[in-house]
Amino acid sequence: MIPALTPTYNRANLAFEKGEGAWLYTTDGRRFLDFAAGIATCSLGHAHPHLVNAIQQQAAKVMHVSNLFRIPQAEKLAQRLTEHSFADSVFFCNSGAEANEGMVKFARRAQALAGHPERTEIICMDGAFHGRTLAMLSATGNPKYLDGFGTPVPDFIHVPFNDIEAVKKALTARTCAIMLEPIQGESGIRAASGEFLSQLRALCDETGVLLAFDEVQTGVGRTGRLFAHEWAGVLPDVMSTAKGLGGGFPIGAVLATETVAKAMTFGTHGTTFGGSPLACAAANAVLDVLLAPGFLDQVCARARLLDTLLDELITQHPGVFDARRGRGLLIGLHCVPPAGNVLEAATEAGLLCVTAGDNVLRLLPPLTVTEDECLEAVSCLKKTAELLSVNQNAAEAV
Ligand SMILES: *Cc1c(COP(=O)(O)O)cnc(C)c1O
C-alpha cells in the first residue's frame, strides 16, 4: 500500500526532535553533526536565538496579509538586498524553482519590452539544476527528471559548461538569456571559471543577451561572499536566490537591475505567499547576522580550516576521497567508492551530509559552524574512511 506521504524521496531512517546550532538530536536520543543543513538552507544552524525570536515575534503580530497591501518587512529586506548587491529591485517568492521561473519571466519580458518579443531562448549548461517545476525541468535538462512528464517546455537549450565557444555557437537572434549557476551544486560542486563568467558577460554586453545567475544554492553567504559571483567580479542582469535566505524558513527572490525589473509592471507576475511579513522577518534576521561586520570573514576562515583539514584527509585516505571541490562552505569531496556508501558510513560516524552528482559527497555546514565543529566533522570523516576500509577488507575476505 502506498504510504500516506507520497514516496518521492529516498529518506534516511532518522527523525529529529530538535536541533541546536550545527547539531541535530533524534527522537531516540542520538546526536548528529549536521553538515547537510537542510541542503544549504539552515544558514544560521538550528534554533538560532535571533532567528527564532524574529519568527516568534512576527508570528504573534501578523504572519500573512497578501500582496494586496504594503509589507514593511519586505520593503526593508528588498532595500537591504539591493544595497548589498548589483540589483536595483527584488521580487519575493517561496522557493528556488519559483525564483528561477520568475527570473526567466523577468528576462523574457525585458527583451519583449526592449522590442524583442522573439527573444525567448534560454541557453543553459549541461549539468545544471534549476528545480522541479515543468519549465525548470526543461532548464535543468536532465532526462532522468523529465521522464514521464510530457513534452519538455521549449526554448531551453543546453551547452557544455565552461565552454564559451559552445555558447557562441548556440547564440541565435532568438536568444534571450544565458542562465547558469556560478557553482553547479546538485551535479557535483562544479565551478564556472572566472574566465568563463567574464567571457559570458562580454558576450552578453555585445549581443544584448541577458546574464542570469541561479544563486539559489550559492547565494546568501554560502561561499563566503554574500553572492558567489562576487568572487569573479562579474555581475548578472538578473539573479535568483532562495535556499539560505530564510535560514530554514521558505523564501525565494528574484534580484534584477532596473533595466530588467522595469519590465515587471503591475499584474505581470505574482504569488500569494511571496514576501509575507513572516518570511521577510526571518530573512531580515538572517541578514542581521550575515551582514554584521566580520561575519563573512569568519565564514571564509572556517572554510580555509576545512580546506586544509580535508586536503589532509584526502592524502590520508586516497582510497575513499580523491579530490576537493567548491568554495567557502559549499564543499564537495569526490569519492572513490559510491558516494551513497560514503554518506551511509558518515551517518554511522555521526556526520550528516548530502550526496551530489558525479559521485560527490557534499558538505554544507551552517555558516555559523565553529572551529571545533569543523575539527569534529573531519574526525567523523576519518572514522567514515576507516569504516569503509574495514567493510571493504571484510568483503575481500569473503
Ligand atoms: C535547490 C536548487 C533549486 C531549486 O530550489 P527549490 O527550492 O527546491 O525549488 C534551483 N537551483 C539551484 C541551483 C538549487 O540548488
Side-chain angles (χ1 to χ4, degrees):
M1 205 174 70
I2 188 161
L5 189 56
T6 307
T8 56
Y9 302 104
N10 180 20
R11 298 173 193 271
N13 187 21
L14 289 172
F16 301 105
E17 184 174 41
K18 63 170 189 177
E20 198 185 330
W23 297 89
L24 276 173
Y25 298 82
T26 59
T27 46
D28 59 7
R30 287 174 293 160
R31 182 174 97 135
F32 291 86
L33 185 53
D34 184 14
F35 273 40
I39 317 184
T41 292
C42 306
S43 37
L44 305 188
H46 301 285
H48 190 285
H50 183 63
L51 178 59
V52 170
N53 185 52
I55 290 174
Q56 282 175 339
Q57 297 283 325
Q58 190 58 52
K61 286 184 194 155
V62 58
M63 282 190 229
H64 177 83
V65 295
S66 88
N67 290 300
L68 296 171
F69 307 101
R70 284 185 56 184
I71 299 175
Q73 296 81 1
E75 290 171 13
K76 176 178 170 188
L77 181 61
Q79 187 63 41
R80 297 172 88 186
L81 287 170
T82 57
E83 272 165 20
H84 291 275
S85 75
F86 73 98
D88 303 308
S89 195
V90 187
F91 178 91
F92 292 115
C93 56
N94 309 284
S95 71
E98 195 189 357
N100 283 333
E101 293 270 343
M103 180 159 75
V104 171
K105 284 183 75 176
F106 271 56
R108 286 197 180 152
R109 190 154 162 100
Q111 293 288 9
L113 263 69
H116 292 293
E118 76 288 356
R119 286 190 155 195
T120 53
E121 282 176 4
I122 313 291
I123 297 179
C124 305
M125 301 298 138
D126 289 345
F129 182 80
H130 297 303
R132 301 292 199 126
T133 58
L134 284 168
M136 286 311 114
L137 285 178
S138 290
T140 296
N142 185 336
K144 193 177 80 189
Y145 296 155
L146 281 155
D147 182 46
F149 298 114
T151 313
V153 173
D155 285 352
F156 292 96
I157 289 152
H158 288 82
V159 298
F161 193 40
N162 276 329
D163 182 346
I164 192 68
E165 291 310 318
V167 177
K168 284 183 183 165
K169 235 180 266 169
L171 272 189
T172 72
R174 293 190 51 236
T175 306
C176 165
I178 300 166
M179 172 172 173
L180 74 160
E181 302 149 77
I183 301 173
Q184 292 188 337
E186 303 298 313
S187 69
I189 317 296
R190 303 192 311 154
S193 71
E195 187 191 13
F196 183 56
L197 294 177
S198 311
Q199 289 166 329
L200 289 176
R201 182 69 269 172
L203 189 64
C204 287
D205 291 342
E206 245 167 71
T207 55
V209 167
L210 297 169
L211 188 56
F213 286 159
D214 176 346
E215 290 230 29
V216 168
Q217 186 161 170
T218 54
V220 202
R222 180 51 53 188
T223 67
R225 302 290 286 267
L226 193 55
F227 297 106
H229 67 259
E230 294 170 25
W231 289 109
V234 172
L235 305 184
D237 300 293
V238 60
M239 180 182 82
S240 58
T241 196
K243 285 194 168 88
L245 183 56
F249 197 93
I251 180 169
V254 185
L255 287 76
T257 61
E258 180 164 16
T259 315
V260 171
K262 72 177 192 233
M264 303 307 286
T265 47
F266 288 145
T268 52
H269 195 39
T271 176
T272 300
F273 287 116
S276 71
L278 189 56
C280 293
N284 274 315
V286 169
L287 288 191
D288 289 341
V289 175
L290 260 63
L291 296 176
F295 183 83
L296 289 176
D297 295 334
Q298 181 192 295
V299 170
C300 292
R302 297 287 183 271
R304 278 196 301 275
L305 172 64
L306 275 171
D307 286 352
T308 308
L309 296 171
L310 291 172
D311 287 346
E312 274 171 31
L313 174 78
I314 292 168
T315 322
Q316 289 161 356
H317 297 281
V320 180
F321 302 108
D322 64 0
R324 175 176 61 80
R325 303 173 179 178
R327 179 152 224 168
L329 296 177
L330 177 61
I331 304 167
L333 287 179
H334 188 265
C335 299
V336 180
N341 297 356
V342 181
L343 179 82
E344 253 176 55
T347 306
E348 208 180 314
L351 179 71
L352 305 174
C353 5
V354 194
T355 55
D358 199 25
N359 212 42
V360 162
L361 188 72
R362 209 172 354 165
L363 307 179
L364 306 161
L367 305 182
T368 50
V369 70
T370 65
E371 273 181 18
D372 282 348
E373 287 159 352
C374 293
L375 292 167
E376 174 81 24
V378 177
S379 104
C380 289
L381 287 170
K382 281 187 186 150
K383 215 181 296 170
T384 303
E386 281 152 19
L387 280 169
L388 285 164
S389 321
V390 168
N391 292 349
Q392 201 183 343
N393 292 341
E396 276 161 14
V398 173

